[in-house]
């Protein structure tokens, strides 16, 4: 598809469409990232907690497509040398989320790599701006996976006001089609980052059972919870929670986290003994955008539909003006 939307994001990254793949841990592999880039957006490999062997394999899987990588910052910082080794893979961009990425921004800049920093509050945006990040990713609580408690529609224009007119900003959280892209552009973003919509894609890493579950679930089925951090023994800072599809296991412990913590070892055994595709027990990370997903499609189809729908909406926006 030819370029039909031009923004500061497409100009900075040299891409056709203002759509980025969220670097979902162990879901956004090289095949998916490469497919999003091939479709005219930019794919980011989910570096997650920092399995460098997996990251290297997925960069190879992306072939000759330019892709980026994203990390859970607090986990990356616990692994000296991980960032340096990753920058040697020559990612197109480096994304940082959940922690102070100041030093990483400086290292990436020295290596000639553009940086993104995902924020959930204004004070985090201020930290990212002072670090000199290239792109601020504003994440609303609607998004799948870890985040905080602010909604996108108020936070995004507030970050635009804070950052000024020239800063490149990307919107994330609850965006799965062209309506979300068009709205984000009107609220001050230069593009969007989508996760859950691309999770339900042909190229995403993961079992078909998980993808079918995503299509069959709705936004009302999701909750923000600490349950799966506790039961998996993940040392997440307490102010971050994860949006997941609520299942039997989550409902049992969601309002009784203290009891889960007291029985964490026993419940971890229960969790790990379950079938990995038993989504009544195992975590299925997804955002409120599930309402907008009714099929498993290719990354190219998702990008093309999103851009075409957004362009049509923006073109027809003049109809709202009085004549």
């Amino acid at each position: 598809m030819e370029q039909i939307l031009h923004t500061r994001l497409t100009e900075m990254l040299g891409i056709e469409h203002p759509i980025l793949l969220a670097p979902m841990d162990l879901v956004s592999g090289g095949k998916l990232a490469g497919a999003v880039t091939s479709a005219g957006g930019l794919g980011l490999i989910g570096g997650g907690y920092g399995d460098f062997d997996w990251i290297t394999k997925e960069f190879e899987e992306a072939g000759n497509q330019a892709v980026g990588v994203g990390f859970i910052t607090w986990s990356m910082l616990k692994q000296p040398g991980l960032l340096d080794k990753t920058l040697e893979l020559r990612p197109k961009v480096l994304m940082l989320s959940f922690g102070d990425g100041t030093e990483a921004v400086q290292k990436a800049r020295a290596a000639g790599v553009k940086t993104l920093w995902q924020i959930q509050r204004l004070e985090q945006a201020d930290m990212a701006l002072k670090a000199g990040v290239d792109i601020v990713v504003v994440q609303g609580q609607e998004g799948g996976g870890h985040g905080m408690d602010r909604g996108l529609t108020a936070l995004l224009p507030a970050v635009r006001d804070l950052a000024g007119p020239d800063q490149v900003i990307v919107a994330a959280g609850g965006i799965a089609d062209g309506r979300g892209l068009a709205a984000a552009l009107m609220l001050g973003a230069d593009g969007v980052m989508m996760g859950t919509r691309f999770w339900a894609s042909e190229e995403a890493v993961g079992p078909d059972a998980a993808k079918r579950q995503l299509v069959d679930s709705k936004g009302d089925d999701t909750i923000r919870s600490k349950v799966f951090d506790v039961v998996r023994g993940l040392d997440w800072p307490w102010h971050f929670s994860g949006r997941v599809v609520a299942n039997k296991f989550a409902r049992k412990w969601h309002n009784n986290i203290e009891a889960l913590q007291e029985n964490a070892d026993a419940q971890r055994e229960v969790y790990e003994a379950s079938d990995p595709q038993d989504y009544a027990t195992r975590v299925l990370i997804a955002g409120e955008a599930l309402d907008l997903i009714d099929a498993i499609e290719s990354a190219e189809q998702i990008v093309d539909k999103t851009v075409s729908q957004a362009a049509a909406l923006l073109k027809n926006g003049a109809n709202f003006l009085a004549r």
Side-chain angles (χ1 to χ4, degrees):
M1 172 188 281
E2 65 180 9
Q3 184 175 38
I4 52 178
L5 296 174
H6 179 268
T7 72
R8 283 167 293 204
L9 179 69
T10 60
E11 184 174 339
M12 174 180 281
L13 298 183
I15 57 179
E16 294 178 3
H17 309 309
I19 296 176
L20 307 183
L21 165 66
M24 298 173 283
D25 181 37
L26 302 181
V27 170
S28 297
K31 183 177 181 181
L32 176 56
V36 172
T37 296
S38 178
L42 180 64
L44 278 72
I45 290 170
Y49 297 93
D51 183 339
F52 184 70
D53 290 340
W54 187 87
I55 293 168
T56 302
K57 178 175 68 70
E58 296 307 322
F59 265 91
E60 293 173 353
E61 187 72 21
N64 60 0
Q65 296 294 340
V67 298
V69 63
F71 284 109
I72 295 167
T73 308
W74 62 260
S75 182
M76 179 194 70
L77 293 174
K78 292 181 178 181
Q79 302 178 63
L82 174 61
L83 177 58
D84 294 328
K85 291 190 296 183
T86 301
L87 290 174
E88 290 175 1
L89 298 175
R90 305 303 303 167
K92 175 139 187 174
V93 299
L94 170 71
M95 179 167 164
L96 307 157
S97 306
F98 315 116
D100 186 351
T102 302
E103 182 179 349
V105 167
Q106 295 169 353
K107 284 190 174 183
R109 177 183 294 142
V113 175
K114 298 291 187 184
T115 54
L116 300 87
W117 186 326
Q118 182 169 257
I119 63 92
Q120 296 82 28
R121 287 183 170 274
L122 277 177
E123 61 263 32
Q124 296 168 357
D126 187 56
M127 181 184 295
L129 293 168
K130 288 177 178 176
V133 73
D134 295 295
I135 300 168
V136 177
V137 180
V138 181
Q139 183 199 41
Q141 62 84 24
E142 303 92 334
H146 285 88
M148 292 183 73
D149 56 359
R150 289 209 57 179
L152 182 62
T153 55
L155 182 59
L156 176 55
V159 173
R160 169 53 71 197
D161 290 345
L162 175 69
D166 298 325
Q167 175 67 45
V168 179
I169 294 175
V170 166
I175 299 170
D177 61 17
R179 293 172 292 183
L181 173 54
L185 295 176
M186 291 298 96
L187 287 169
D190 300 292
V192 298
M193 175 171 282
M194 300 196 300
T196 301
R197 171 62 274 200
F198 283 120
W199 192 172
S201 71
E202 295 170 0
E203 296 92 347
V205 177
D208 290 340
K211 299 177 186 181
R212 290 194 298 269
Q213 183 84 7
L214 293 174
V215 172
D216 293 339
S217 299
K218 300 299 180 185
D220 286 350
D221 298 326
T222 68
I223 56 172
R224 298 208 69 88
S225 182
K226 299 292 293 185
V227 167
F228 293 106
D229 290 343
V230 173
V231 77
R232 293 184 295 169
L234 298 176
D235 191 23
W236 271 87
W238 200 250
H239 50 281
F240 294 115
S241 61
R243 184 170 293 282
V244 300
V245 177
N247 57 15
K248 183 178 179 180
F249 191 90
R251 292 188 181 98
K252 179 179 180 179
W253 298 106
H254 179 58
N255 293 317
N256 202 2
I257 292 293
E258 289 185 2
L260 177 59
Q261 289 174 310
E262 292 172 358
N263 295 277
D265 291 341
Q267 292 304 313
R268 189 167 301 126
E269 290 181 7
V270 172
Y271 183 86
E272 293 178 350
S274 64
D275 185 327
Q277 295 187 39
D278 170 18
Y279 295 109
T281 303
R282 292 298 182 109
V283 64
L284 182 60
I285 296 172
E288 292 182 357
L290 286 173
D291 293 307
L292 313 178
I293 301 170
D294 58 10
I296 300 168
E297 298 179 306
S298 70
E300 182 178 17
Q301 289 174 309
I302 293 168
V303 171
D304 286 354
K305 287 183 177 181
T306 300
V307 172
S308 295
Q309 185 182 32
L313 289 168
L314 293 168
K315 182 178 180 180
N316 292 334
N319 293 332
F320 289 104
L321 299 175
R323 289 175 171 77

